[in-house]
Amino acid sequence: MSITVVGSLAYDAVKTPFGQRERMLGGAATHFALAASFFDTVRPVGPVGGDFADADLEVLRTRGTVTDDVEVIADGKTFFWAGEYGWDLNSRETLDTQLNVFETFVPKLSPAAQACDVLFLANIQPELQAQILDAVDGPAFTALDSMNLWIDIARDALVGVIERVDCLILNDAELRQLTGKPNLVAAAREILGWGPTAVVAKQGEYGAALITAASFFALPAFPLETVVDPTGAGDTFAGGFVGSVAQHLAGGVTDEVLCRAMAYGTALASFNVEEFGTERVTRLTADEIHERVSALHGFGRFTLQTPVLTGDRS
Ligand code: AMP
């Protein structure tokens, strides 16, 4: 089994109320790969510039991620993103986005990347996501993430790729923006009508919700007292979610598989936000993940009774 992911491999400049980093390893595919590599072999596809440090390539290779499809464009510059968070860590301002080597990138997938069982189209130009979908051999499960920038400037292309995937993973505000529907459930149902069989609405510190034709499932974010930098939380969630699905493909992608995947996504994302960028997830252990998934399992428990309510008493 293996997972191919296309998305940004980046350097980020990030400022939060708790500190800042001028230039740290980031990118949607990077955060995704670090999380998904707990479950399966991951192959990121994408370009980096000659400025991309060997040490950062080593970080990407943590837990066996295969970097054969990371193309080094020696005279180019790595994708760069800068953002700032206020006290409400759920909202951030993008200060700068430089596509750099992604602007002219034409993907050439290795046979192993083409033969993936699972494909994740992390946040990047929808046209590039479509090229990767064309290039793979027919993975058993495909999922896609995007962001407001692409809804603003490339909506038609984005809708075109969403129609071709099994699962859409998007922030709740972006789901509303994409569909023009203010109600989250209505927005998700509209997207289910376009083709995907599952929609995951990421809700920052409030958790995430899964909507399929037959079910609705929501999990709170893991309750943390220290959140330092939410950058990459969504991609780390996606890595845990998609990785967990990849591990259970044999029995089909049932609602049970998807709900368990929500717990792994939630647990992984909770570690990501504890430190800047990739710092925490790089040294994370499987035991730590299991511990948080068990705790999440416990949070959902309450005893069902049929109480006598006021209206019944009259
Ligand atoms: P998240 O916090 O999960 O939304 O992901 C943040 C990561 O996405 C950062 O590491 C950025 O490098 C990357 N990113 C930000 N803007 C874009 C964009 N327009 N296209 C692709 N990746 C981006």
PDB file of all heavy atoms in Angstrom, residues 7-12 25-28 31 79-81 85 92 94 96-97 99 123-125 145 147 149-150 171 202 230-236 272, ligand 1:
ATOM      1  N   GLY A   7       1.266  18.698  -3.412  1.00  0.00           N
ATOM      2  CA  GLY A   7       0.932  19.901  -2.656  1.00  0.00           C
ATOM      3  C   GLY A   7       2.196  20.682  -2.416  1.00  0.00           C
ATOM      4  O   GLY A   7       3.285  20.260  -2.837  1.00  0.00           O
ATOM      5  N   SER A   8       2.059  21.798  -1.721  1.00  0.00           N
ATOM      6  CA  SER A   8       3.238  22.638  -1.552  1.00  0.00           C
ATOM      7  C   SER A   8       4.274  22.016  -0.624  1.00  0.00           C
ATOM      8  O   SER A   8       3.957  21.369   0.363  1.00  0.00           O
ATOM      9  CB  SER A   8       2.820  24.026  -1.024  1.00  0.00           C
ATOM     10  OG  SER A   8       1.998  23.896   0.116  1.00  0.00           O
ATOM     11  N   LEU A   9       5.540  22.206  -1.015  1.00  0.00           N
ATOM     12  CA  LEU A   9       6.703  21.944  -0.160  1.00  0.00           C
ATOM     13  C   LEU A   9       7.284  23.346  -0.020  1.00  0.00           C
ATOM     14  O   LEU A   9       7.608  23.978  -1.036  1.00  0.00           O
ATOM     15  CB  LEU A   9       7.682  21.005  -0.871  1.00  0.00           C
ATOM     16  CG  LEU A   9       7.075  19.658  -1.283  1.00  0.00           C
ATOM     17  CD1 LEU A   9       7.780  19.085  -2.497  1.00  0.00           C
ATOM     18  CD2 LEU A   9       7.119  18.689  -0.122  1.00  0.00           C
ATOM     19  N   ALA A  10       7.379  23.846   1.195  1.00  0.00           N
ATOM     20  CA  ALA A  10       7.517  25.299   1.321  1.00  0.00           C
ATOM     21  C   ALA A  10       8.474  25.730   2.412  1.00  0.00           C
ATOM     22  O   ALA A  10       8.856  24.947   3.286  1.00  0.00           O
ATOM     23  CB  ALA A  10       6.138  25.890   1.617  1.00  0.00           C
ATOM     24  N   TYR A  11       8.795  27.020   2.344  1.00  0.00           N
ATOM     25  CA  TYR A  11       9.328  27.716   3.509  1.00  0.00           C
ATOM     26  C   TYR A  11       8.273  28.722   3.954  1.00  0.00           C
ATOM     27  O   TYR A  11       7.665  29.403   3.110  1.00  0.00           O
ATOM     28  CB  TYR A  11      10.651  28.408   3.178  1.00  0.00           C
ATOM     29  CG  TYR A  11      11.800  27.425   3.152  1.00  0.00           C
ATOM     30  CD1 TYR A  11      12.593  27.254   2.021  1.00  0.00           C
ATOM     31  CD2 TYR A  11      12.068  26.632   4.273  1.00  0.00           C
ATOM     32  CE1 TYR A  11      13.624  26.331   2.008  1.00  0.00           C
ATOM     33  CE2 TYR A  11      13.101  25.708   4.259  1.00  0.00           C
ATOM     34  CZ  TYR A  11      13.861  25.559   3.136  1.00  0.00           C
ATOM     35  OH  TYR A  11      14.872  24.632   3.126  1.00  0.00           O
ATOM     36  N   ASP A  12       8.040  28.766   5.260  1.00  0.00           N
ATOM     37  CA  ASP A  12       7.012  29.634   5.830  1.00  0.00           C
ATOM     38  C   ASP A  12       7.638  30.659   6.775  1.00  0.00           C
ATOM     39  O   ASP A  12       8.569  30.331   7.522  1.00  0.00           O
ATOM     40  CB  ASP A  12       6.010  28.828   6.673  1.00  0.00           C
ATOM     41  CG  ASP A  12       5.150  27.882   5.830  1.00  0.00           C
ATOM     42  OD1 ASP A  12       5.062  28.073   4.605  1.00  0.00           O
ATOM     43  OD2 ASP A  12       4.553  26.961   6.439  1.00  0.00           O
ATOM     44  N   LEU A  25      10.538  25.127   7.678  1.00  0.00           N
ATOM     45  CA  LEU A  25       9.999  24.131   6.745  1.00  0.00           C
ATOM     46  C   LEU A  25       8.484  24.080   6.888  1.00  0.00           C
ATOM     47  O   LEU A  25       7.953  24.039   7.994  1.00  0.00           O
ATOM     48  CB  LEU A  25      10.609  22.755   7.073  1.00  0.00           C
ATOM     49  CG  LEU A  25      10.059  21.582   6.262  1.00  0.00           C
ATOM     50  CD1 LEU A  25      10.344  21.740   4.770  1.00  0.00           C
ATOM     51  CD2 LEU A  25      10.661  20.267   6.779  1.00  0.00           C
ATOM     52  N   GLY A  26       7.784  24.094   5.754  1.00  0.00           N
ATOM     53  CA  GLY A  26       6.322  24.028   5.778  1.00  0.00           C
ATOM     54  C   GLY A  26       5.816  23.477   4.465  1.00  0.00           C
ATOM     55  O   GLY A  26       6.555  22.814   3.726  1.00  0.00           O
ATOM     56  N   GLY A  27       4.591  23.794   4.172  1.00  0.00           N
ATOM     57  CA  GLY A  27       3.969  23.308   2.946  1.00  0.00           C
ATOM     58  C   GLY A  27       2.949  22.233   3.272  1.00  0.00           C
ATOM     59  O   GLY A  27       3.139  21.435   4.189  1.00  0.00           O
ATOM     60  N   ALA A  28       1.876  22.258   2.488  1.00  0.00           N
ATOM     61  CA  ALA A  28       0.776  21.326   2.747  1.00  0.00           C
ATOM     62  C   ALA A  28       1.234  19.873   2.619  1.00  0.00           C
ATOM     63  O   ALA A  28       0.911  19.019   3.453  1.00  0.00           O
ATOM     64  CB  ALA A  28      -0.355  21.623   1.768  1.00  0.00           C
ATOM     65  N   HIS A  31       3.493  18.779   5.716  1.00  0.00           N
ATOM     66  CA  HIS A  31       2.742  18.461   6.939  1.00  0.00           C
ATOM     67  C   HIS A  31       1.947  17.170   6.764  1.00  0.00           C
ATOM     68  O   HIS A  31       1.867  16.335   7.671  1.00  0.00           O
ATOM     69  CB  HIS A  31       1.807  19.623   7.300  1.00  0.00           C
ATOM     70  CG  HIS A  31       2.526  20.827   7.828  1.00  0.00           C
ATOM     71  ND1 HIS A  31       3.143  20.843   9.054  1.00  0.00           N
ATOM     72  CD2 HIS A  31       2.732  22.049   7.293  1.00  0.00           C
ATOM     73  CE1 HIS A  31       3.694  22.030   9.265  1.00  0.00           C
ATOM     74  NE2 HIS A  31       3.470  22.774   8.203  1.00  0.00           N
ATOM     75  N   PHE A  79       8.672  27.419  -2.925  1.00  0.00           N
ATOM     76  CA  PHE A  79       7.406  28.084  -2.560  1.00  0.00           C
ATOM     77  C   PHE A  79       7.581  28.776  -1.210  1.00  0.00           C
ATOM     78  O   PHE A  79       8.153  28.199  -0.279  1.00  0.00           O
ATOM     79  CB  PHE A  79       6.314  26.998  -2.479  1.00  0.00           C
ATOM     80  CG  PHE A  79       4.941  27.492  -2.110  1.00  0.00           C
ATOM     81  CD1 PHE A  79       3.942  27.602  -3.066  1.00  0.00           C
ATOM     82  CD2 PHE A  79       4.623  27.804  -0.790  1.00  0.00           C
ATOM     83  CE1 PHE A  79       2.658  28.027  -2.722  1.00  0.00           C
ATOM     84  CE2 PHE A  79       3.354  28.242  -0.431  1.00  0.00           C
ATOM     85  CZ  PHE A  79       2.369  28.353  -1.411  1.00  0.00           C
ATOM     86  N   PHE A  80       7.044  30.006  -1.099  1.00  0.00           N
ATOM     87  CA  PHE A  80       7.173  30.740   0.172  1.00  0.00           C
ATOM     88  C   PHE A  80       5.820  31.292   0.587  1.00  0.00           C
ATOM     89  O   PHE A  80       5.076  31.830  -0.235  1.00  0.00           O
ATOM     90  CB  PHE A  80       8.177  31.889   0.004  1.00  0.00           C
ATOM     91  CG  PHE A  80       8.328  32.721   1.244  1.00  0.00           C
ATOM     92  CD1 PHE A  80       9.099  32.269   2.310  1.00  0.00           C
ATOM     93  CD2 PHE A  80       7.684  33.951   1.358  1.00  0.00           C
ATOM     94  CE1 PHE A  80       9.229  33.034   3.471  1.00  0.00           C
ATOM     95  CE2 PHE A  80       7.812  34.719   2.515  1.00  0.00           C
ATOM     96  CZ  PHE A  80       8.582  34.254   3.566  1.00  0.00           C
ATOM     97  N   TRP A  81       5.501  31.115   1.855  1.00  0.00           N
ATOM     98  CA  TRP A  81       4.242  31.646   2.398  1.00  0.00           C
ATOM     99  C   TRP A  81       4.512  32.344   3.719  1.00  0.00           C
ATOM    100  O   TRP A  81       5.337  31.880   4.516  1.00  0.00           O
ATOM    101  CB  TRP A  81       3.238  30.505   2.617  1.00  0.00           C
ATOM    102  CG  TRP A  81       1.953  30.954   3.258  1.00  0.00           C
ATOM    103  CD1 TRP A  81       0.895  31.579   2.653  1.00  0.00           C
ATOM    104  CD2 TRP A  81       1.579  30.815   4.645  1.00  0.00           C
ATOM    105  NE1 TRP A  81      -0.094  31.846   3.571  1.00  0.00           N
ATOM    106  CE2 TRP A  81       0.301  31.389   4.799  1.00  0.00           C
ATOM    107  CE3 TRP A  81       2.206  30.274   5.765  1.00  0.00           C
ATOM    108  CZ2 TRP A  81      -0.360  31.428   6.021  1.00  0.00           C
ATOM    109  CZ3 TRP A  81       1.561  30.320   6.999  1.00  0.00           C
ATOM    110  CH2 TRP A  81       0.287  30.879   7.106  1.00  0.00           C
ATOM    111  N   TYR A  85      -1.033  35.291  12.907  1.00  0.00           N
ATOM    112  CA  TYR A  85      -2.227  34.961  13.703  1.00  0.00           C
ATOM    113  C   TYR A  85      -2.368  35.980  14.821  1.00  0.00           C
ATOM    114  O   TYR A  85      -1.378  36.411  15.416  1.00  0.00           O
ATOM    115  CB  TYR A  85      -2.090  33.576  14.355  1.00  0.00           C
ATOM    116  CG  TYR A  85      -1.932  32.436  13.382  1.00  0.00           C
ATOM    117  CD1 TYR A  85      -0.705  32.178  12.779  1.00  0.00           C
ATOM    118  CD2 TYR A  85      -3.014  31.610  13.069  1.00  0.00           C
ATOM    119  CE1 TYR A  85      -0.558  31.125  11.895  1.00  0.00           C
ATOM    120  CE2 TYR A  85      -2.878  30.558  12.185  1.00  0.00           C
ATOM    121  CZ  TYR A  85      -1.645  30.323  11.602  1.00  0.00           C
ATOM    122  OH  TYR A  85      -1.509  29.281  10.728  1.00  0.00           O
ATOM    123  N   ARG A  92      -6.399  33.731  10.495  1.00  0.00           N
ATOM    124  CA  ARG A  92      -5.044  34.208  10.218  1.00  0.00           C
ATOM    125  C   ARG A  92      -5.058  35.067   8.968  1.00  0.00           C
ATOM    126  O   ARG A  92      -5.964  34.972   8.135  1.00  0.00           O
ATOM    127  CB  ARG A  92      -4.091  33.026  10.032  1.00  0.00           C
ATOM    128  CG  ARG A  92      -4.283  32.305   8.708  1.00  0.00           C
ATOM    129  CD  ARG A  92      -3.230  31.226   8.505  1.00  0.00           C
ATOM    130  NE  ARG A  92      -3.571  30.402   7.366  1.00  0.00           N
ATOM    131  CZ  ARG A  92      -3.334  29.110   7.300  1.00  0.00           C
ATOM    132  NH1 ARG A  92      -2.784  28.485   8.307  1.00  0.00           N
ATOM    133  NH2 ARG A  92      -3.646  28.436   6.221  1.00  0.00           N
ATOM    134  N   THR A  94      -2.955  36.004   5.572  1.00  0.00           N
ATOM    135  CA  THR A  94      -1.837  35.661   4.695  1.00  0.00           C
ATOM    136  C   THR A  94      -1.151  36.956   4.286  1.00  0.00           C
ATOM    137  O   THR A  94      -1.785  37.865   3.768  1.00  0.00           O
ATOM    138  CB  THR A  94      -2.347  34.896   3.455  1.00  0.00           C
ATOM    139  OG1 THR A  94      -2.777  33.593   3.867  1.00  0.00           O
ATOM    140  CG2 THR A  94      -1.267  34.746   2.403  1.00  0.00           C
ATOM    141  N   ASP A  96       1.916  36.963   2.486  1.00  0.00           N
ATOM    142  CA  ASP A  96       2.653  36.787   1.232  1.00  0.00           C
ATOM    143  C   ASP A  96       2.508  35.347   0.744  1.00  0.00           C
ATOM    144  O   ASP A  96       2.510  34.415   1.556  1.00  0.00           O
ATOM    145  CB  ASP A  96       4.139  37.089   1.503  1.00  0.00           C
ATOM    146  CG  ASP A  96       4.934  37.318   0.229  1.00  0.00           C
ATOM    147  OD1 ASP A  96       4.328  37.325  -0.863  1.00  0.00           O
ATOM    148  OD2 ASP A  96       6.167  37.493   0.327  1.00  0.00           O
ATOM    149  N   THR A  97       2.328  35.165  -0.553  1.00  0.00           N
ATOM    150  CA  THR A  97       2.359  33.830  -1.164  1.00  0.00           C
ATOM    151  C   THR A  97       3.199  33.937  -2.423  1.00  0.00           C
ATOM    152  O   THR A  97       2.862  34.699  -3.329  1.00  0.00           O
ATOM    153  CB  THR A  97       0.936  33.353  -1.559  1.00  0.00           C
ATOM    154  OG1 THR A  97       0.113  33.328  -0.394  1.00  0.00           O
ATOM    155  CG2 THR A  97       0.963  31.960  -2.174  1.00  0.00           C
ATOM    156  N   LEU A  99       4.520  31.528  -5.322  1.00  0.00           N
ATOM    157  CA  LEU A  99       4.465  30.161  -5.874  1.00  0.00           C
ATOM    158  C   LEU A  99       5.849  29.695  -6.327  1.00  0.00           C
ATOM    159  O   LEU A  99       6.174  28.509  -6.275  1.00  0.00           O
ATOM    160  CB  LEU A  99       3.506  30.101  -7.061  1.00  0.00           C
ATOM    161  CG  LEU A  99       2.007  30.166  -6.758  1.00  0.00           C
ATOM    162  CD1 LEU A  99       1.210  30.127  -8.060  1.00  0.00           C
ATOM    163  CD2 LEU A  99       1.568  29.038  -5.844  1.00  0.00           C
ATOM    164  N   ASN A 123      -3.384  21.120  -0.793  1.00  0.00           N
ATOM    165  CA  ASN A 123      -3.653  22.460  -1.283  1.00  0.00           C
ATOM    166  C   ASN A 123      -2.577  22.956  -2.251  1.00  0.00           C
ATOM    167  O   ASN A 123      -1.441  23.186  -1.847  1.00  0.00           O
ATOM    168  CB  ASN A 123      -3.738  23.371  -0.051  1.00  0.00           C
ATOM    169  CG  ASN A 123      -3.932  24.807  -0.430  1.00  0.00           C
ATOM    170  OD1 ASN A 123      -4.455  25.112  -1.495  1.00  0.00           O
ATOM    171  ND2 ASN A 123      -3.497  25.704   0.446  1.00  0.00           N
ATOM    172  N   ILE A 124      -2.971  23.142  -3.513  1.00  0.00           N
ATOM    173  CA  ILE A 124      -2.102  23.727  -4.550  1.00  0.00           C
ATOM    174  C   ILE A 124      -3.008  24.086  -5.724  1.00  0.00           C
ATOM    175  O   ILE A 124      -4.212  23.805  -5.669  1.00  0.00           O
ATOM    176  CB  ILE A 124      -0.931  22.766  -4.931  1.00  0.00           C
ATOM    177  CG1 ILE A 124       0.208  23.523  -5.606  1.00  0.00           C
ATOM    178  CG2 ILE A 124      -1.411  21.593  -5.798  1.00  0.00           C
ATOM    179  CD1 ILE A 124       0.944  24.498  -4.732  1.00  0.00           C
ATOM    180  N   GLN A 125      -2.450  24.674  -6.795  1.00  0.00           N
ATOM    181  CA  GLN A 125      -3.302  25.073  -7.927  1.00  0.00           C
ATOM    182  C   GLN A 125      -4.164  23.887  -8.369  1.00  0.00           C
ATOM    183  O   GLN A 125      -3.634  22.801  -8.609  1.00  0.00           O
ATOM    184  CB  GLN A 125      -2.485  25.483  -9.149  1.00  0.00           C
ATOM    185  CG  GLN A 125      -1.507  26.613  -8.985  1.00  0.00           C
ATOM    186  CD  GLN A 125      -0.095  26.081  -8.849  1.00  0.00           C
ATOM    187  OE1 GLN A 125       0.197  25.335  -7.913  1.00  0.00           O
ATOM    188  NE2 GLN A 125       0.785  26.448  -9.759  1.00  0.00           N
ATOM    189  N   ASP A 145      -7.841  18.694  -0.734  1.00  0.00           N
ATOM    190  CA  ASP A 145      -7.939  19.893   0.103  1.00  0.00           C
ATOM    191  C   ASP A 145      -7.696  21.104  -0.802  1.00  0.00           C
ATOM    192  O   ASP A 145      -7.105  20.975  -1.880  1.00  0.00           O
ATOM    193  CB  ASP A 145      -6.866  19.838   1.211  1.00  0.00           C
ATOM    194  CG  ASP A 145      -7.003  20.960   2.222  1.00  0.00           C
ATOM    195  OD1 ASP A 145      -8.045  21.644   2.251  1.00  0.00           O
ATOM    196  OD2 ASP A 145      -6.053  21.154   3.008  1.00  0.00           O
ATOM    197  N   MET A 147      -8.103  25.867  -0.728  1.00  0.00           N
ATOM    198  CA  MET A 147      -8.220  27.031   0.162  1.00  0.00           C
ATOM    199  C   MET A 147      -8.910  28.185  -0.547  1.00  0.00           C
ATOM    200  O   MET A 147      -9.131  28.142  -1.765  1.00  0.00           O
ATOM    201  CB  MET A 147      -6.839  27.453   0.676  1.00  0.00           C
ATOM    202  CG  MET A 147      -5.978  28.095  -0.379  1.00  0.00           C
ATOM    203  SD  MET A 147      -4.340  28.567   0.238  1.00  0.00           S
ATOM    204  CE  MET A 147      -4.762  29.840   1.434  1.00  0.00           C
ATOM    205  N   LEU A 149      -7.968  31.025  -1.586  1.00  0.00           N
ATOM    206  CA  LEU A 149      -7.292  31.623  -2.745  1.00  0.00           C
ATOM    207  C   LEU A 149      -7.763  30.977  -4.050  1.00  0.00           C
ATOM    208  O   LEU A 149      -8.086  31.658  -5.021  1.00  0.00           O
ATOM    209  CB  LEU A 149      -5.770  31.455  -2.605  1.00  0.00           C
ATOM    210  CG  LEU A 149      -4.936  31.887  -3.807  1.00  0.00           C
ATOM    211  CD1 LEU A 149      -4.947  33.408  -3.961  1.00  0.00           C
ATOM    212  CD2 LEU A 149      -3.485  31.405  -3.675  1.00  0.00           C
ATOM    213  N   TRP A 150      -7.821  29.649  -4.079  1.00  0.00           N
ATOM    214  CA  TRP A 150      -8.184  28.940  -5.310  1.00  0.00           C
ATOM    215  C   TRP A 150      -9.681  29.052  -5.581  1.00  0.00           C
ATOM    216  O   TRP A 150     -10.106  29.041  -6.736  1.00  0.00           O
ATOM    217  CB  TRP A 150      -7.729  27.475  -5.249  1.00  0.00           C
ATOM    218  CG  TRP A 150      -6.280  27.370  -4.879  1.00  0.00           C
ATOM    219  CD1 TRP A 150      -5.757  26.768  -3.780  1.00  0.00           C
ATOM    220  CD2 TRP A 150      -5.162  27.925  -5.590  1.00  0.00           C
ATOM    221  NE1 TRP A 150      -4.396  26.908  -3.743  1.00  0.00           N
ATOM    222  CE2 TRP A 150      -3.995  27.612  -4.841  1.00  0.00           C
ATOM    223  CE3 TRP A 150      -5.020  28.658  -6.759  1.00  0.00           C
ATOM    224  CZ2 TRP A 150      -2.722  28.006  -5.237  1.00  0.00           C
ATOM    225  CZ3 TRP A 150      -3.745  29.056  -7.161  1.00  0.00           C
ATOM    226  CH2 TRP A 150      -2.632  28.730  -6.408  1.00  0.00           C
ATOM    227  N   ASN A 171     -11.964  23.717   5.097  1.00  0.00           N
ATOM    228  CA  ASN A 171     -12.422  24.496   6.262  1.00  0.00           C
ATOM    229  C   ASN A 171     -13.900  24.805   6.098  1.00  0.00           C
ATOM    230  O   ASN A 171     -14.379  24.994   4.974  1.00  0.00           O
ATOM    231  CB  ASN A 171     -11.678  25.831   6.352  1.00  0.00           C
ATOM    232  CG  ASN A 171     -10.251  25.630   6.772  1.00  0.00           C
ATOM    233  OD1 ASN A 171      -9.902  24.578   7.285  1.00  0.00           O
ATOM    234  ND2 ASN A 171      -9.423  26.628   6.521  1.00  0.00           N
ATOM    235  N   LYS A 202     -13.358  21.070   8.305  1.00  0.00           N
ATOM    236  CA  LYS A 202     -12.426  21.367   9.392  1.00  0.00           C
ATOM    237  C   LYS A 202     -12.888  22.652  10.077  1.00  0.00           C
ATOM    238  O   LYS A 202     -13.223  23.620   9.401  1.00  0.00           O
ATOM    239  CB  LYS A 202     -11.009  21.567   8.833  1.00  0.00           C
ATOM    240  CG  LYS A 202     -10.417  20.295   8.224  1.00  0.00           C
ATOM    241  CD  LYS A 202      -9.042  20.562   7.633  1.00  0.00           C
ATOM    242  CE  LYS A 202      -9.138  21.347   6.343  1.00  0.00           C
ATOM    243  NZ  LYS A 202      -7.830  21.595   5.703  1.00  0.00           N
ATOM    244  N   PRO A 230      -0.829  27.165  14.784  1.00  0.00           N
ATOM    245  CA  PRO A 230      -1.744  26.254  14.079  1.00  0.00           C
ATOM    246  C   PRO A 230      -1.345  25.964  12.622  1.00  0.00           C
ATOM    247  O   PRO A 230      -2.019  25.186  11.951  1.00  0.00           O
ATOM    248  CB  PRO A 230      -3.085  26.990  14.092  1.00  0.00           C
ATOM    249  CG  PRO A 230      -2.867  28.245  14.858  1.00  0.00           C
ATOM    250  CD  PRO A 230      -1.394  28.497  14.920  1.00  0.00           C
ATOM    251  N   THR A 231      -0.268  26.561  12.124  1.00  0.00           N
ATOM    252  CA  THR A 231       0.096  26.364  10.713  1.00  0.00           C
ATOM    253  C   THR A 231       0.306  24.880  10.413  1.00  0.00           C
ATOM    254  O   THR A 231       1.088  24.213  11.085  1.00  0.00           O
ATOM    255  CB  THR A 231       1.393  27.134  10.373  1.00  0.00           C
ATOM    256  OG1 THR A 231       1.242  28.477  10.789  1.00  0.00           O
ATOM    257  CG2 THR A 231       1.693  27.075   8.883  1.00  0.00           C
ATOM    258  N   GLY A 232      -0.405  24.410   9.411  1.00  0.00           N
ATOM    259  CA  GLY A 232      -0.243  23.007   9.015  1.00  0.00           C
ATOM    260  C   GLY A 232      -1.174  22.050   9.738  1.00  0.00           C
ATOM    261  O   GLY A 232      -1.163  20.850   9.461  1.00  0.00           O
ATOM    262  N   ALA A 233      -2.009  22.588  10.646  1.00  0.00           N
ATOM    263  CA  ALA A 233      -2.911  21.697  11.393  1.00  0.00           C
ATOM    264  C   ALA A 233      -3.866  20.970  10.441  1.00  0.00           C
ATOM    265  O   ALA A 233      -4.120  19.771  10.589  1.00  0.00           O
ATOM    266  CB  ALA A 233      -3.699  22.487  12.424  1.00  0.00           C
ATOM    267  N   GLY A 234      -4.378  21.711   9.453  1.00  0.00           N
ATOM    268  CA  GLY A 234      -5.317  21.107   8.513  1.00  0.00           C
ATOM    269  C   GLY A 234      -4.662  19.997   7.704  1.00  0.00           C
ATOM    270  O   GLY A 234      -5.257  18.941   7.468  1.00  0.00           O
ATOM    271  N   ASP A 235      -3.441  20.216   7.293  1.00  0.00           N
ATOM    272  CA  ASP A 235      -2.729  19.211   6.491  1.00  0.00           C
ATOM    273  C   ASP A 235      -2.319  18.018   7.350  1.00  0.00           C
ATOM    274  O   ASP A 235      -2.297  16.880   6.891  1.00  0.00           O
ATOM    275  CB  ASP A 235      -1.490  19.841   5.850  1.00  0.00           C
ATOM    276  CG  ASP A 235      -1.845  21.106   5.104  1.00  0.00           C
ATOM    277  OD1 ASP A 235      -2.738  21.036   4.252  1.00  0.00           O
ATOM    278  OD2 ASP A 235      -1.267  22.156   5.404  1.00  0.00           O
ATOM    279  N   THR A 236      -1.983  18.300   8.596  1.00  0.00           N
ATOM    280  CA  THR A 236      -1.628  17.210   9.509  1.00  0.00           C
ATOM    281  C   THR A 236      -2.871  16.377   9.809  1.00  0.00           C
ATOM    282  O   THR A 236      -2.817  15.137   9.849  1.00  0.00           O
ATOM    283  CB  THR A 236      -1.036  17.791  10.815  1.00  0.00           C
ATOM    284  OG1 THR A 236       0.037  18.668  10.460  1.00  0.00           O
ATOM    285  CG2 THR A 236      -0.519  16.701  11.720  1.00  0.00           C
ATOM    286  N   ASN A 272       0.502  18.819  16.160  1.00  0.00           N
ATOM    287  CA  ASN A 272       1.092  19.815  15.263  1.00  0.00           C
ATOM    288  C   ASN A 272       1.052  21.227  15.844  1.00  0.00           C
ATOM    289  O   ASN A 272       2.009  21.994  15.701  1.00  0.00           O
ATOM    290  CB  ASN A 272       0.341  19.776  13.919  1.00  0.00           C
ATOM    291  CG  ASN A 272       0.741  20.914  13.011  1.00  0.00           C
ATOM    292  OD1 ASN A 272       1.746  20.852  12.337  1.00  0.00           O
ATOM    293  ND2 ASN A 272      -0.026  21.986  13.027  1.00  0.00           N
TER     294      ASN A 272
HETATM  295  P1  AMP B   1      -2.803  24.848   6.903  1.00  0.00           P
HETATM  296  O1  AMP B   1      -2.422  25.633   8.132  1.00  0.00           O
HETATM  297  O2  AMP B   1      -3.102  23.417   7.172  1.00  0.00           O
HETATM  298  O3  AMP B   1      -3.837  25.540   6.092  1.00  0.00           O
HETATM  299  O4  AMP B   1      -1.494  24.799   5.971  1.00  0.00           O
HETATM  300  C1  AMP B   1      -0.505  25.758   5.994  1.00  0.00           C
HETATM  301  C2  AMP B   1       0.548  25.392   4.961  1.00  0.00           C
HETATM  302  O5  AMP B   1       0.002  25.593   3.662  1.00  0.00           O
HETATM  303  C3  AMP B   1       1.766  26.278   5.088  1.00  0.00           C
HETATM  304  O6  AMP B   1       2.867  25.462   5.487  1.00  0.00           O
HETATM  305  C4  AMP B   1       1.959  26.896   3.713  1.00  0.00           C
HETATM  306  O7  AMP B   1       3.263  26.722   3.203  1.00  0.00           O
HETATM  307  C5  AMP B   1       0.955  26.215   2.823  1.00  0.00           C
HETATM  308  N1  AMP B   1       0.225  27.157   1.972  1.00  0.00           N
HETATM  309  C6  AMP B   1      -0.230  28.399   2.298  1.00  0.00           C
HETATM  310  N2  AMP B   1      -0.840  28.994   1.241  1.00  0.00           N
HETATM  311  C7  AMP B   1      -0.766  28.099   0.214  1.00  0.00           C
HETATM  312  C8  AMP B   1      -1.207  28.119  -1.165  1.00  0.00           C
HETATM  313  N3  AMP B   1      -1.821  29.180  -1.714  1.00  0.00           N
HETATM  314  N4  AMP B   1      -0.985  27.014  -1.918  1.00  0.00           N
HETATM  315  C9  AMP B   1      -0.373  25.955  -1.380  1.00  0.00           C
HETATM  316  N5  AMP B   1       0.079  25.879  -0.111  1.00  0.00           N
HETATM  317  C10 AMP B   1      -0.111  26.933   0.684  1.00  0.00           C
END
